[in-house]
Protein backbone atom coordinates (compact mmCIF):
# COMPACT_ATOMS: atom_id res chain seq x y z
CA UNK A 1 0.00 0.00 0.00
CA UNK A 2 1.30 3.44 -0.90
CA UNK A 3 0.58 5.33 2.33
CA UNK A 4 1.47 8.62 0.67
CA UNK A 5 -1.12 8.35 -2.11
CA UNK A 6 -4.15 10.61 -2.43
CA UNK A 7 -6.41 7.58 -2.48
CA UNK A 8 -5.03 6.09 0.73
CA UNK A 9 -5.15 9.38 2.63
CA UNK A 10 -8.62 10.18 1.41
CA UNK A 11 -9.69 6.88 2.99
CA UNK A 12 -7.95 7.68 6.27
CA UNK A 13 -9.52 11.10 6.72
CA UNK A 14 -13.03 9.67 6.35
CA UNK A 15 -12.38 6.72 8.63
CA UNK A 16 -13.44 8.55 11.82
CA UNK A 17 -15.37 11.74 12.56
CA UNK A 18 -12.18 13.33 13.83
CA UNK A 19 -8.78 12.38 12.41
CA UNK A 20 -5.40 13.81 13.40
CA UNK A 21 -2.06 13.48 11.65
CA UNK A 22 0.54 14.13 14.30
CA UNK A 23 4.07 13.65 15.57
CA UNK A 24 4.04 10.84 18.10
CA UNK A 25 1.04 8.97 19.42
CA UNK A 26 -2.09 10.18 21.19
CA UNK A 27 -0.68 8.78 24.42
CA UNK A 28 2.78 10.18 23.81
CA UNK A 29 2.92 13.21 21.49
CA UNK A 30 6.46 14.02 20.38
CA UNK A 31 5.95 17.70 19.67
CA UNK A 32 4.36 20.58 21.58
CA UNK A 33 1.97 21.41 18.73
CA UNK A 34 0.70 17.85 18.43
CA UNK A 35 0.38 17.74 22.20
CA UNK A 36 -1.69 20.95 22.17
CA UNK A 37 -4.14 19.39 19.71
CA UNK A 38 -4.46 16.32 21.95
CA UNK A 39 -5.19 18.58 24.95
CA UNK A 40 -7.88 20.44 23.00
CA UNK A 41 -9.60 17.23 21.87
CA UNK A 42 -9.36 15.90 25.39
CA UNK A 43 -10.88 19.09 26.77
CA UNK A 44 -13.86 18.70 24.43
CA UNK A 45 -14.28 15.06 25.36
CA UNK A 46 -13.49 13.76 21.87
CA UNK A 47 -12.45 10.19 22.47
CA UNK A 48 -12.86 7.95 19.46
CA UNK A 49 -10.68 9.89 17.03
CA UNK A 50 -8.24 8.57 14.44
CA UNK A 51 -4.60 9.42 14.93
CA UNK A 52 -1.65 8.72 12.67
CA UNK A 53 1.98 9.15 13.62
CA UNK A 54 3.83 10.73 10.69
CA UNK A 55 7.19 10.09 12.38
CA UNK A 56 6.61 6.40 11.68
CA UNK A 57 5.94 6.87 7.99
CA UNK A 58 7.87 9.30 5.79
CA UNK A 59 5.53 8.68 2.83
CA UNK A 60 2.48 9.56 4.89
CA UNK A 61 4.26 12.63 6.27
CA UNK A 62 4.85 14.02 2.78
CA UNK A 63 1.56 12.65 1.43
CA UNK A 64 -0.62 14.48 3.93
CA UNK A 65 1.16 17.77 3.20
CA UNK A 66 0.50 17.32 -0.51
CA UNK A 67 -3.11 16.27 0.12
CA UNK A 68 -3.99 19.45 2.03
CA UNK A 69 -1.37 21.85 0.60
CA UNK A 70 -0.55 22.59 4.21
CA UNK A 71 3.13 22.64 5.14
CA UNK A 72 3.11 21.60 8.78
CA UNK A 73 2.07 18.86 11.22
CA UNK A 74 -0.29 18.38 13.10
CA UNK A 75 -3.26 18.43 10.75
CA UNK A 76 -6.84 17.94 11.90
CA UNK A 77 -9.84 16.67 9.92
CA UNK A 78 -13.44 16.84 11.08
CA UNK A 79 -16.09 15.03 9.07
CA UNK A 80 -13.51 14.27 6.38
CA UNK A 81 -12.78 17.98 5.89
CA UNK A 82 -9.43 19.60 6.62
CA UNK A 83 -9.82 22.05 9.51
CA UNK A 84 -6.26 23.26 10.07
CA UNK A 85 -3.19 22.95 12.22
CA UNK A 86 -2.54 23.69 15.86
CA UNK A 87 -2.99 27.47 15.69
CA UNK A 88 -6.33 27.17 13.90
CA UNK A 89 -7.53 24.57 16.42
CA UNK A 90 -6.45 26.76 19.35
CA UNK A 91 -8.26 29.77 17.93
CA UNK A 92 -11.41 27.73 17.20
CA UNK A 93 -11.25 26.35 20.72
CA UNK A 94 -11.08 29.89 22.14
CA UNK A 95 -13.80 31.44 19.99
CA UNK A 96 -16.24 28.55 20.28
CA UNK A 97 -16.20 27.54 16.61
CA UNK A 98 -14.81 24.12 17.48
CA UNK A 99 -17.95 23.25 19.47
CA UNK A 100 -20.01 24.07 16.36
CA UNK A 101 -17.80 22.00 14.07
CA UNK A 102 -17.97 19.01 16.40
CA UNK A 103 -21.74 19.39 16.67
CA UNK A 104 -22.02 19.11 12.87
CA UNK A 105 -20.61 15.59 13.04
CA UNK A 106 -22.67 14.66 16.07
CA UNK A 107 -20.07 15.10 18.80
CA UNK A 108 -21.27 16.90 21.88
CA UNK A 109 -18.53 18.91 23.51
CA UNK B 1 22.11 30.78 6.78
CA UNK B 2 19.66 30.96 9.68
CA UNK B 3 16.36 32.69 9.03
CA UNK B 4 15.81 35.89 11.01
CA UNK B 5 12.56 37.41 12.24
CA UNK B 6 13.51 40.57 10.35
CA UNK B 7 13.67 38.61 7.11
CA UNK B 8 10.17 37.20 7.73
CA UNK B 9 8.81 40.63 8.68
CA UNK B 10 10.12 42.24 5.50
CA UNK B 11 8.52 39.57 3.35
CA UNK B 12 5.16 39.72 5.12
CA UNK B 13 5.14 43.51 5.04
CA UNK B 14 5.79 43.55 1.29
CA UNK B 15 3.41 40.75 0.31
CA UNK B 16 0.53 41.28 2.74
CA UNK B 17 0.83 45.03 3.36
CA UNK B 18 0.86 44.14 7.05
CA UNK B 19 0.07 47.16 9.20
CA UNK B 20 1.40 45.54 12.33
CA UNK B 21 3.87 42.72 12.72
CA UNK B 22 5.46 41.10 15.67
CA UNK B 23 7.66 38.13 15.03
CA UNK B 24 9.56 36.62 17.91
CA UNK B 25 12.36 34.14 17.37
CA UNK B 26 11.84 31.63 20.16
CA UNK B 27 14.76 29.46 19.06
CA UNK B 28 17.46 31.60 20.70
CA UNK B 29 18.60 32.75 17.28
CA UNK B 30 19.07 29.46 15.45
CA UNK B 31 16.26 30.57 13.15
CA UNK B 32 14.03 27.55 13.37
CA UNK B 33 11.23 28.56 15.72
CA UNK B 34 9.00 31.62 15.52
CA UNK B 35 5.87 33.13 16.99
CA UNK B 36 4.09 35.68 14.83
CA UNK B 37 1.30 38.22 15.17
CA UNK B 38 0.29 39.49 11.75
CA UNK B 39 -2.21 42.28 11.13
CA UNK B 40 -3.21 42.82 7.51
CA UNK B 41 -6.19 44.27 5.65
CA UNK B 42 -5.86 41.30 3.28
CA UNK B 43 -7.30 39.05 6.00
CA UNK B 44 -10.65 40.82 5.83
CA UNK B 45 -13.52 38.55 4.84
CA UNK B 46 -11.29 35.48 4.98
CA UNK B 47 -11.90 32.61 7.38
CA UNK B 48 -9.04 31.56 9.64
CA UNK B 49 -7.87 28.67 7.48
CA UNK B 50 -7.61 30.93 4.42
CA UNK B 51 -5.65 33.53 6.40
CA UNK B 52 -3.15 30.94 7.53
CA UNK B 53 -2.92 29.57 4.00
CA UNK B 54 -2.09 33.05 2.74
CA UNK B 55 0.78 33.36 5.23
CA UNK B 56 1.95 29.82 4.44
CA UNK B 57 2.10 30.73 0.76
CA UNK B 58 4.08 33.92 1.35
CA UNK B 59 6.57 32.08 3.56
CA UNK B 60 6.64 28.87 1.51
CA UNK B 61 10.42 28.80 1.06
CA UNK B 62 11.14 29.76 4.67
CA UNK B 63 8.70 27.26 6.15
CA UNK B 64 10.75 24.46 4.64
CA UNK B 65 13.65 25.50 6.88
CA UNK B 66 11.65 26.54 9.93
CA UNK B 67 10.94 23.83 12.46
CA UNK B 68 8.07 25.55 14.25
CA UNK B 69 5.95 28.51 13.21
CA UNK B 70 3.00 29.70 15.25
CA UNK B 71 0.78 32.54 14.07
CA UNK B 72 -2.07 34.83 14.97
CA UNK B 73 -3.74 36.53 12.02
CA UNK B 74 -5.89 39.61 12.59
CA UNK B 75 -7.55 42.32 10.52
CA UNK B 76 -6.69 45.91 11.50
CA UNK B 77 -10.16 46.18 13.07
CA UNK B 78 -9.71 43.04 15.17
CA UNK B 79 -6.26 44.22 16.19
CA UNK B 80 -7.63 47.58 17.37
CA UNK B 81 -10.29 45.85 19.43
CA UNK B 82 -7.68 43.63 21.03
CA UNK B 83 -5.56 46.64 21.95
CA UNK B 84 -8.33 48.55 23.71
Amino acid sequence: VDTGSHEYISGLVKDKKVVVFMKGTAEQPRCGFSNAVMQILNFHGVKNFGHHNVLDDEKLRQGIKDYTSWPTIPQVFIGGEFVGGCDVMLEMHKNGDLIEELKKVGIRS
Amino acid sequence: MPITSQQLEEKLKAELQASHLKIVDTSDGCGSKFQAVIVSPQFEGKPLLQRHRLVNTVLEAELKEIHAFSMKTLTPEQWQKEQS
Side-chain angles (χ1 to χ4, degrees):
Chain A
V1 183
D2 180 2
T3 55
S5 73
H6 190 280
E7 209 179 9
Y8 180 77
I9 289 173
S10 131
L12 284 188
V13 304
K14 287 169 196 133
D15 192 39
K16 293 263 167 66
K17 289 176 178 175
V18 177
V19 177
V20 186
F21 295 82
M22 60 186 292
K23 291 183 180 174
T25 61
E27 296 73 30
Q28 210 165 17
R30 296 270 303 275
C31 158
F33 296 95
S34 289
N35 185 38
V37 167
M38 289 302 109
Q39 303 278 346
I40 292 169
L41 291 180
N42 190 30
F43 180 91
H44 289 271
V46 183
K47 286 196 180 74
N48 188 25
F49 59 90
H51 44 96
H52 303 280
N53 182 3
V54 301
L55 295 178
D56 274 350
D57 189 337
E58 192 53 45
K59 270 190 191 166
L60 182 66
R61 184 177 184 166
Q62 188 54 50
I64 189 65
K65 291 180 187 183
D66 296 339
Y67 185 87
T68 52
S69 310
W70 189 262
T72 51
I73 306 290
Q75 299 194 12
V76 181
F77 289 77
I78 299 178
E81 296 289 329
F82 178 54
V83 172
C86 175
D87 286 340
V88 174
M89 285 290 284
L90 257 175
E91 196 58 39
M92 287 174 66
H93 163 64
K94 278 192 241 164
N95 69 18
D97 284 354
L98 186 57
I99 295 174
E100 295 305 313
E101 287 303 313
L102 290 172
K103 225 186 250 171
K104 280 186 202 164
V105 294
I107 299 174
R108 250 170 204 280
S109 174
Chain B
M1 228 178 53
I3 289 165
T4 64
S5 44
Q6 197 188 347
Q7 196 180 331
L8 298 176
E9 280 180 13
E10 275 166 18
K11 207 156 185 191
L12 290 167
K13 200 170 268 176
E15 305 265 341
L16 298 180
Q17 284 80 48
S19 58
H20 175 89
L21 271 172
K22 193 177 166 209
I23 301 188
V24 182
D25 183 337
T26 51
S27 73
D28 290 327
C30 90
S32 64
K33 217 171 157 186
F34 296 92
Q35 270 176 7
V37 177
I38 307 160
V39 181
S40 163
Q42 289 192 23
F43 293 147
E44 262 159 44
K46 285 194 179 70
L48 200 54
L49 185 70
Q50 300 312 324
R51 293 179 187 192
H52 284 222
R53 272 203 196 282
L54 196 58
V55 175
N56 288 344
T57 309
V58 171
L59 300 180
E60 194 186 354
E62 288 78 7
L63 279 177
K64 287 191 179 113
E65 311 296 323
I66 295 171
H67 169 71
F69 187 80
S70 175
M71 66 176 121
K72 247 185 122 167
T73 51
L74 302 164
T75 63
E77 199 183 332
Q78 287 173 324
W79 173 244
Q80 216 164 29
K81 248 185 217 162
E82 210 162 275
Q83 292 312 98
S84 57

